[in-house]
Amino acid sequence: MIRTPFVPLLALCAALMLAGCGSSPAPRQYTLAADALPAGAGAASPTVVIGPVSLPEAVDRLQIVRRVDGTRSEPADGHRWAGALKAEVARRLAVSLARESGLARVVAAPQNSIARPDITVPVDVLRFDADGFASVALDAAWSVRRDGREIASGRFSRSEPVAAARYDALVAAHGRLVDALAADIAAAIRVAP
């Protein structure tokens, strides 16, 4: 039997093509992280811990979730949060609240370095979902507590349009809503006794 050099070469090419078809691209990861604040401002300010933050189970996952057709949720396997969404929200709230209020010592729970904070801000997120690529809605109840006593509370409900039908634009809309929530909380802290 005569062997041709082309048969092994064809078999190798076919195997490489099949291997290439089986791999999928790595998922893209997104964060709600805000730009860091300049150090040193408000050094004598009270200490604030944001959290705990609770989220509905439907969106409390690594995949970014969009509502489609009004009632169906669609998690995006290829587009994920860089960390737990509650932690992402808490960190963004802490940075945004510090910026809005001028307070220097604002951190997110549970990764906090403050054993006994002056103020705690638990946040119960009732809704934080995207309507396709059209808008993102945030509905949350929050309270400001000093020494375990509630000194202010509120309800935040707003939606934000998404600039483009892309996941980075969707994440940006999520971030703008968290910033708006932080502005409401900061306003309450400024007037609280």
Side-chain angles (χ1 to χ4, degrees):
M1 178 168 137
I2 301 174
R3 292 192 129 184
T4 64
F6 295 109
V7 173
L9 183 59
L10 287 175
L12 177 63
C13 287
L16 288 173
M17 287 175 51
L18 287 174
C21 293
S23 65
S24 59
R28 292 180 184 222
Q29 295 189 342
Y30 301 86
T31 183
L32 287 177
D35 294 334
L37 294 172
S45 67
T47 57
V48 180
V49 171
I50 301 295
V53 172
S54 69
L55 287 168
E57 286 183 35
V59 296
D60 188 16
R61 51 193 318 163
L62 283 178
Q63 296 93 347
I64 295 176
V65 178
R66 297 181 307 128
R67 275 187 311 123
V68 291
D69 303 332
T71 58
R72 187 170 51 92
S73 290
E74 183 177 274
D77 287 330
H79 300 276
R80 300 179 181 186
W81 296 109
L85 186 54
K86 341 179 159 176
E88 291 281 323
V89 170
R91 281 193 297 274
R92 177 77 178 238
L93 267 174
V95 172
S96 295
L97 181 63
R99 181 176 289 115
E100 289 288 331
S101 66
L103 299 172
R105 295 174 31 152
V106 182
V107 297
Q111 299 100 341
N112 66 64
S113 58
I114 302 170
R116 291 181 37 108
D118 298 313
I119 297 171
T120 58
V121 183
V123 179
D124 186 16
V125 176
L126 308 168
R127 178 179 180 208
F128 196 29
D129 56 10
D131 183 12
F133 282 110
S135 64
V136 177
L138 173 59
D139 188 6
W142 53 267
S143 63
V144 177
R145 297 180 181 164
R146 185 186 299 268
D147 300 322
R149 238 177 1 97
E150 185 176 289
I151 59 172
S153 64
R155 177 85 181 249
F156 177 89
S157 188
R158 194 173 299 172
S159 65
E160 180 73 24
V162 178
R166 298 186 325 261
Y167 281 94
D168 59 341
L170 192 69
V171 169
H174 279 82
R176 289 191 301 273
L177 282 171
V178 174
D179 292 343
L181 171 59
D184 276 11
I185 296 170
I189 289 174
R190 280 193 290 273
V191 299

